[in-house]
Amino acid sequence: MTDKQSVVIIGGGPAGLTAAWELIKDGGAEKYDVTVLEETREFGGISRTVKHNGNRMDIGGHRFFSKDERIMDWWKETLPLQGAPSYDDKKLGREHDMEPGGPDPETEDKVMLKRHRVSRIYWNRHFFDYPISLSANTLKAMGFKLTMVAGFSYLKSMIHKLPEDNLENFYINRFGRKLYSMFFEGYTEKLWGRHPSQISADWGSQRVKGLSIMGVLKNAFQKLLPKKRSNAEVETSLIEEFWYPKYGPGQLWETVEQNCVEAGVNVVTDAKVVEVRQKDGRIASVVTVDSEGNRNELTADQFISSMPVKDLVNALDAGTEETQGKHEPKDMVDVANGLPYRDFVTVGLLVKHLRLKNTTDIPTLGNPPIVPDCWIYVQDPGYKVGRLQIFNNWSPYLVKDVDDTVWIGLEYFCEEGDSFWNMTDEEATKFAISELTRMRVINGPADVLDSHRERVKKAYPAYFDTYDHMDELVEYLDGFGNLYCVGRNGQHRYNNMDHSMATAIEAVGNIKSGKTSKKNVWSVNTDKSYHESK
């Protein structure tokens, strides 16, 4: 009989479920006894799909694209790429390369679609390219005078570089002060609740590294050339095709969870980790509590945590009689408790039609045809909404009546417990409708057929306050030899989904090989080649 290693994984989001599958696949059940603990009853974390009256909502929008081929292969193995056109592409004659022998999304559910990416900025009731660039379209929308001011401001920023010790200077160096003040300053404050001068430049380097006006113009020019480029050569914010599960990102994670269970993983839902017990410098067990207050203790050889770092350190410090006097160092608890987050509210509105006209040459469904955007960034400081998602364009299968209704998600960034977070569903819906009407996206409340409000805690780990001491916290947590921190909240890093998955793959690789350094787990998305941007 083989001696199995037991592994407890905290969290059933992308990082946790990736770790579980990596351990259990290819007969891993012979070597590993794997348990996944999920606090809620759903899978995918903020990558879940919310279902409401036959329509589906993607929380925050998830493009399935990565520069890491391991991740692309992983997704494709979970949900195979389409071999026949989707409903909208077939109806509109839009083309994608089909996968030979791949499933037909019209008849099969387990399928990954190929989608065209269109995202634009909505500012002062005009559409601009996303990311912002000095293109002919921008010049026309801005007018001659403003364009000249922005152009000279940009030239000045090329000659006179500011020290990149905060996010404000990071943006000014790349876009010039005028474009920064128009498109980045207010939007960043809307997103983070802080002025960019108060935010670490780390955030910029993580999300928009390599992106600049020169990069955008170079990409626009190369599009005119006949040479075909691979996605790997393009800055990720400029990627024009991505993959997307037929029923949204949650479908992929629900499929992974089913695959894990079938392969022998023990998945426990409604299991909130409230204590992490240590012994002799290692993690010995975790204590969970369910919604009825029942407690359960699990021991294991290895622990993989995707729970928020703040909650992990406080759980380590929960203390019981056996661990009395062994509480966590106060400075580490202070760093953990000072780590900031931005919380998130999405208001879904089902409307009869949009007031916005499709003035592009991209054919779309709807009567009249809807705009082709997946996301519309609202960088106008006159509105609280940060982005609009048009779910019809992510996948036609997210919308019950995709031909005659438009399903929109309004994304709001806030703090848990603030006045916007505490609004009732009715108040938040009324607020969202009034903003869309004022923006002239819809005609008014009479156009709205249905609505749904979803609140998400700790959606965005933020890079200010005690974040400067994060490296000390990493060193401290790495001191527990059998604890691996993975995922967006597990590492307090604003990672995309593929980066979160990569941290889990690295952690499992270390467990399998016996590697003790965790540098590889923490270094995902710190190299230039990894960088991505929404």
Side-chain angles (χ1 to χ4, degrees):
M1 185 181 137
T2 56
D3 196 13
K4 282 192 192 181
Q5 261 203 89
S6 54
V7 185
V8 162
I9 298 168
I10 305 170
L17 289 172
T18 298
W21 182 248
E22 287 296 303
L23 283 163
I24 209 77
K25 70 178 186 183
D26 303 329
E30 299 292 317
K31 297 177 189 170
Y32 300 100
D33 184 359
V34 183
T35 301
V36 174
L37 304 173
E38 169 51 41
E39 182 181 343
T40 69
R41 289 187 167 87
E42 295 177 273
F43 299 98
I46 62 166
S47 300
R48 69 186 185 278
T49 301
V50 175
K51 303 172 184 75
H52 175 75
N53 292 346
N55 295 303
R56 289 174 164 84
M57 248 167 135
D58 177 348
I59 303 290
H62 291 83
R63 287 182 295 119
F64 284 69
F65 167 80
S66 181
K67 292 182 178 180
D68 187 335
E69 289 300 327
R70 295 176 303 176
I71 306 290
M72 296 292 275
D73 290 342
W74 207 99
W75 285 330
K76 195 163 57 174
E77 281 164 21
T78 308
L79 290 177
L81 286 170
Q82 67 186 90
S86 57
Y87 174 76
D88 52 352
D89 287 344
K90 187 155 58 176
K91 187 168 179 177
L92 299 163
R94 297 187 309 205
E95 287 192 13
H96 287 277
D97 293 333
M98 293 293 126
E99 202 71 8
D104 179 349
E106 285 288 82
T107 57
E108 294 181 57
D109 285 344
K110 286 194 176 179
V111 54
M112 189 75 88
L113 306 178
K114 289 184 174 185
R115 308 300 292 169
H116 287 300
R117 179 229 171 98
V118 181
S119 296
R120 289 181 294 174
I121 292 168
Y122 194 66
W123 183 85
N124 198 20
R125 294 179 179 155
H126 286 285
F127 278 113
F128 290 80
D129 297 338
Y130 176 84
I132 194 66
S133 67
L134 290 177
S135 65
N137 176 49
T138 306
L139 310 188
K140 186 181 167 193
M142 278 169 55
F144 179 75
K145 189 180 170 188
L146 204 48
T147 299
M148 293 306 289
V149 174
F152 282 114
S153 168
Y154 170 63
L155 291 173
K156 184 182 174 186
S157 75
M158 288 181 75
I159 300 158
H160 174 64
K161 292 292 180 194
L162 298 170
E164 292 199 356
D165 49 13
N166 62 53
L167 190 56
E168 179 171 60
N169 290 358
F170 178 92
Y171 279 134
I172 292 170
N173 282 347
R174 279 157 186 75
F175 296 93
R177 191 172 288 276
K178 186 63 184 175
L179 285 177
Y180 157 73
S181 68
M182 287 170 65
F183 293 106
F184 296 99
E185 188 173 18
Y187 183 77
T188 302
E189 197 157 0
K190 194 189 285 191
L191 175 56
W192 294 112
R194 299 280 177 102
H195 190 266
S197 60
Q198 294 178 276
I199 299 175
S200 162
D202 279 13
W203 185 86
S205 61
Q206 194 154 350
R207 302 297 292 184
V208 291
K209 190 160 185 173
L211 187 59
S212 65
I213 286 185
M214 292 312 289
V216 173
L217 292 177
K218 182 182 166 198
N219 183 67
F221 177 70
Q222 285 182 318
K223 272 191 222 169
L224 303 174
L225 304 176
K227 180 177 165 276
K228 180 121 169 147
R229 288 176 302 154
S230 72
N231 271 351
E233 295 174 59
V234 186
E235 269 308 315
T236 312
S237 335
L238 307 170
I239 294 301
E240 286 155 7
E241 185 177 89
F242 61 93
W243 297 350
Y244 196 74
K246 178 177 176 177
Y247 291 124
Q251 183 192 12
L252 181 114
W253 297 112
E254 289 158 16
T255 305
V256 172
E257 189 268 340
Q258 288 161 7
N259 293 346
C260 285
V261 169
E262 285 166 17
V265 173
N266 177 32
V267 176
V268 187
T269 57
D270 188 19
K272 179 181 170 73
V273 172
V274 289
E275 275 182 49
V276 177
R277 296 181 176 175
Q278 47 181 305
K279 189 179 181 185
D280 304 327
R282 290 172 70 78
I283 305 301
S285 64
V286 295
V287 177
T288 63
V289 64
D290 66 18
S291 48
E292 291 176 3
N294 302 309
R295 292 166 75 87
N296 186 34
E297 184 175 4
L298 287 95
T299 58
D301 301 313
Q302 306 283 352
F303 294 84
I304 297 175
S305 169
S306 67
M307 69 192 282
V309 176
K310 181 186 281 191
D311 297 343
L312 172 66
V313 173
N314 282 301
L316 274 161
D317 197 37
T320 59
E321 282 179 30
E322 309 106 82
T323 59
Q324 221 78 80
K326 294 184 187 173
H327 284 213
E328 298 321 292
K330 184 178 182 307
D331 59 340
M332 293 296 103
V333 176
D334 289 346
V335 171
N337 284 335
L339 289 173
Y341 297 86
R342 263 318 238 176
D343 307 294
F344 183 79
V345 172
T346 294
V347 179
L349 297 178
L350 186 70
V351 300
K352 294 174 191 171
H353 39 71
L354 299 181
R355 187 173 172 182
L356 291 177
K357 300 277 185 287
N358 182 5
T359 56
T360 71
D361 55 6
I362 302 166
T364 53
L365 295 175
N367 189 17
I370 62 172
V371 287
D373 307 75
C374 302
W375 269 313
I376 297 172
Y377 289 78
V378 185
Q379 291 185 229
D380 192 322
Y383 303 96
K384 182 167 175 59
V385 66
R387 283 191 311 202
L388 306 177
Q389 279 195 79
I390 301 176
F391 297 115
N392 303 50
N393 294 329
W394 287 86
S395 163
Y397 307 103
L398 295 180
V399 188
K400 190 176 178 182
D401 180 3
V402 75
D403 287 302
D404 295 314
T405 61
V406 191
W407 180 224
I408 307 176
L410 290 86
E411 300 180 357
Y412 290 96
F413 312 109
C414 56
E415 300 286 339
E416 183 186 345
D418 72 11
S419 58
F420 191 81
W421 180 271
N422 287 337
M423 278 185 179
T424 62
D425 285 353
E426 280 160 63
E427 288 167 340
T429 302
K430 192 176 175 184
F431 185 88
I433 291 169
S434 72
E435 288 216 302
L436 274 197
T437 306
R438 215 159 36 91
M439 287 166 66
R440 301 186 184 172
V441 172
I442 61 172
N443 288 312
D447 283 350
V448 179
L449 303 166
D450 194 9
S451 66
H452 176 71
R453 193 260 303 251
E454 192 77 19
R455 295 188 289 192
V456 182
K457 296 177 189 176
K458 295 187 173 74
Y460 301 116
Y463 288 25
F464 33 86
D465 298 343
T466 58
Y467 176 78
D468 284 352
H469 300 280
M470 189 66 200
D471 56 344
E472 297 163 32
L473 198 55
V474 169
E475 189 182 349
Y476 166 69
L477 291 168
D478 281 356
F480 298 101
N482 63 339
L483 173 66
Y484 297 85
C485 294
V486 298
R488 182 183 272 202
N489 279 332
Q491 295 194 341
H492 198 85
R493 193 173 280 164
Y494 190 178
N495 282 333
N496 278 343
M497 180 169 52
D498 61 323
H499 302 134
S500 293
M501 293 171 66
T503 61
I505 292 170
E506 294 293 335
V508 169
N510 287 12
I511 289 171
K512 288 181 174 179
S513 66
K515 182 177 179 176
T516 54
S517 166
K518 295 169 188 160
K519 208 169 260 185
N520 58 320
V521 183
W522 289 99
S523 67
V524 168
N525 195 19
T526 55
D527 301 330
K528 168 79 175 76
S529 62
Y530 254 108
H531 281 297
E532 301 215 14
S533 162
K534 285 184 176 179

